[in-house]
Amino acid sequence: MSEVLTREEASGAPRPARGPALRLPGSRAYGWTAGGVLLLALPFYLDRFWLQAGLFAMAAAIGAIGINLLTGATGQLSMGHAFFLAVGAYGYCVFAADGGDGLTGLGLPTWLAAVLAVALSGLAGGLFSPIAGRLRGAYLGIATLALIFIGQHVLFNARDLTGGFNGRDVPSFSVFGLTFDDRELVVAAVPFGSAEKLWYAGLVLLLGCGLFARGVLRGRPGRAMNAIRDHRIAAGVIGVPVARYRAAVFVLSSTYAGLAGVLLALVFQRTVPDYFGIALSLEYLAMIVIGGLGSVAGAVVGAAFVSLLPQLLTHYSDALPLVSDPGTGGVAPGEASRYLYGAAVVAVVLFLPGGLVRVAAARRRVRPSEGAPPGAAPGSIPGSTPGEER
């Protein structure tokens, strides 16, 4: 082995100790920082329509993260996600309302009502978890489909709790003396209504839910969930309690759905039973397929795509061909959006099995000439092992 010795090494003098290497933030850190600043500044420049569209996307992203933990990471198909969203939304109304509208209400502080509504969704998932722990695949999907029918029957007929067909109003959220209603709060000469205030609450909730799910997926529970998804018998052989993990993930997914339901109710300011039907459950499955199964980023990207598409088509229906208002002879924006993300699901399944996030991941791959160790396979990521989930 040939070596070139420096003058100090040849003379035997001790080499001066080197300090820690200075690591400069990469382009990815700058991108995250710029994105965060942009999201924080948007309420100062966007009108109410776009802020509400963004809030719908945030709520959908929280719910999509939950079902991605269940379906994408653990391989458990659920068709009843909309049921747990309804439990969160209506649970918040019942806990927070004061009964002034003639409907049942406990009049609790709204922050406590939100916590209890999310816990109620987790409890509903816990009651169903023994079934979820023993069923898999299409069997679990059919079993959870029954939750939708039961939920719709209750929502339409338990009028004292749900308001029946007309739904019920949603009390404004309040915490630390700040009420998230339309009473204007001027910040930097910009009037803040409910949409502007909820925007920051939604960002905090989405960030917390994303980081928690990311920690779960990258830790020991995440590896056990992936093992159950890939081969449940092998997972059981190596010591993974399969039924217990399936039940626990179902409860966690239900809790995420309950939080998404509470945020949706606050944004809508009214809950109606028609919204929490089978179509909503199918939309959540479309979100995680389009964005990427088993990935937090995939759930967020898919939720943004599916939830924002109807809003964009509605807003620009006058300028788009074949898209017009309902009842005017053309394709309604909601119907057109279902066609488009249905086509997107087919395209992703056929040509991009990893979802839209795989496109970004492929662009981040390092070429061998840009720092990959000698002998590494072309396109491999330094420090990763073949097949490692990113």
Side-chain angles (χ1 to χ4, degrees), residues 107-136:
L108 299 176
T110 53
W111 64 268
L112 179 59
V115 173
L116 292 178
V118 174
L120 183 63
S121 298
L123 178 62
L127 294 176
F128 194 81
S129 61
I131 301 174
R134 289 168 173 76
L135 297 180
R136 63 186 178 92

Side-chain angles (χ1 to χ4, degrees), residues 7-389:
R7 180 177 298 176
E8 291 80 2
E9 291 171 339
S11 63
R15 179 181 295 181
R18 294 181 179 179
L22 178 62
R23 298 185 62 182
L24 297 177
S27 58
R28 193 176 181 183
Y30 286 123
W32 280 107
T33 303
V37 172
L38 177 63
L39 289 174
L40 292 175
L42 284 179
F44 292 92
Y45 299 99
L46 296 182
D47 58 18
R48 187 182 183 90
F49 172 83
W50 293 111
L51 291 178
Q52 283 191 333
L55 284 168
F56 291 148
M58 291 181 198
I62 293 173
I65 291 172
I67 196 172
N68 216 0
L69 292 173
L70 179 68
T71 302
T74 317
Q76 293 287 85
L77 176 63
S78 174
M79 301 289 289
H81 209 55
F83 170 80
F84 299 104
L85 272 92
V87 172
Y90 280 95
Y92 172 78
C93 294
V94 172
F95 288 130
D98 57 2
D101 53 359
L103 302 176
T104 302
L106 300 182
L108 299 176
T110 53
W111 64 268
L112 179 59
V115 173
L116 292 178
V118 174
L120 183 63
S121 298
L123 178 62
L127 294 176
F128 194 81
S129 61
I131 301 174
R134 289 168 173 76
L135 297 180
R136 63 186 178 92
Y139 299 102
L140 179 60
I142 295 172
T144 53
L145 191 60
L147 293 174
I148 295 294
F149 300 135
I150 296 173
Q152 287 287 292
H153 178 78
V154 173
L155 294 181
F156 278 109
N157 294 283
R159 290 183 176 83
D160 289 340
L161 286 175
T162 65
F165 181 82
N166 294 323
R168 62 183 301 172
D169 293 331
V170 179
S172 298
F173 184 73
S174 180
V175 64
F176 299 132
L178 176 63
T179 303
F180 293 72
D181 57 5
D182 285 325
R183 285 179 292 184
E184 289 187 355
L185 173 67
V186 179
V187 178
V190 176
F192 269 37
S194 61
E196 287 82 2
K197 299 170 189 173
L198 284 174
W199 179 270
Y200 293 105
L203 284 180
V204 172
L205 292 175
L206 178 57
L207 180 63
C209 291
L211 291 177
F212 182 81
R214 183 172 178 265
V216 170
L217 290 174
R218 294 198 170 190
R220 185 174 181 179
R223 291 191 292 272
M225 291 155 58
N226 291 336
I228 295 172
R229 176 197 60 194
D230 295 338
H231 203 296
R232 63 182 179 88
I233 297 177
V237 169
I238 62 176
V240 176
V242 176
R244 189 188 310 169
Y245 262 98
R246 282 177 171 173
V249 175
F250 197 87
V251 174
L252 182 60
S253 174
S254 304
T255 305
Y256 270 81
L259 181 57
V262 173
L263 185 55
L264 274 175
L266 292 173
V267 177
F268 274 122
Q269 298 181 348
R270 188 168 186 82
T271 57
V272 289
D274 279 337
Y275 180 75
F276 301 98
I278 183 63
L280 185 62
S281 290
L282 294 177
E283 287 182 2
Y284 273 94
L285 291 177
M287 291 175 193
I288 60 175
V289 172
I290 293 174
L293 291 170
S295 165
V296 175
V300 176
V301 171
F305 181 85
V306 173
S307 62
L308 291 180
L309 190 58
Q311 309 288 334
L312 294 175
L313 292 178
T314 302
H315 195 70
Y316 295 107
S317 60
D318 295 337
L320 296 174
L322 302 178
V323 179
S324 59
D325 294 333
T328 58
V331 180
E335 190 177 0
S337 63
R338 291 191 184 93
Y339 293 154
L340 287 177
Y341 63 67
V345 169
V346 175
V348 166
V349 171
L350 290 178
F351 306 110
L352 197 62
L356 296 178
V357 289
R358 288 297 179 189
V359 178
R363 293 173 65 88
R364 290 201 303 267
R365 288 178 180 171
V366 181
R367 298 176 181 176
S369 59
E370 295 178 355
S380 63
I381 302 174
S384 65
T385 56
E388 183 178 359
E389 184 69 22

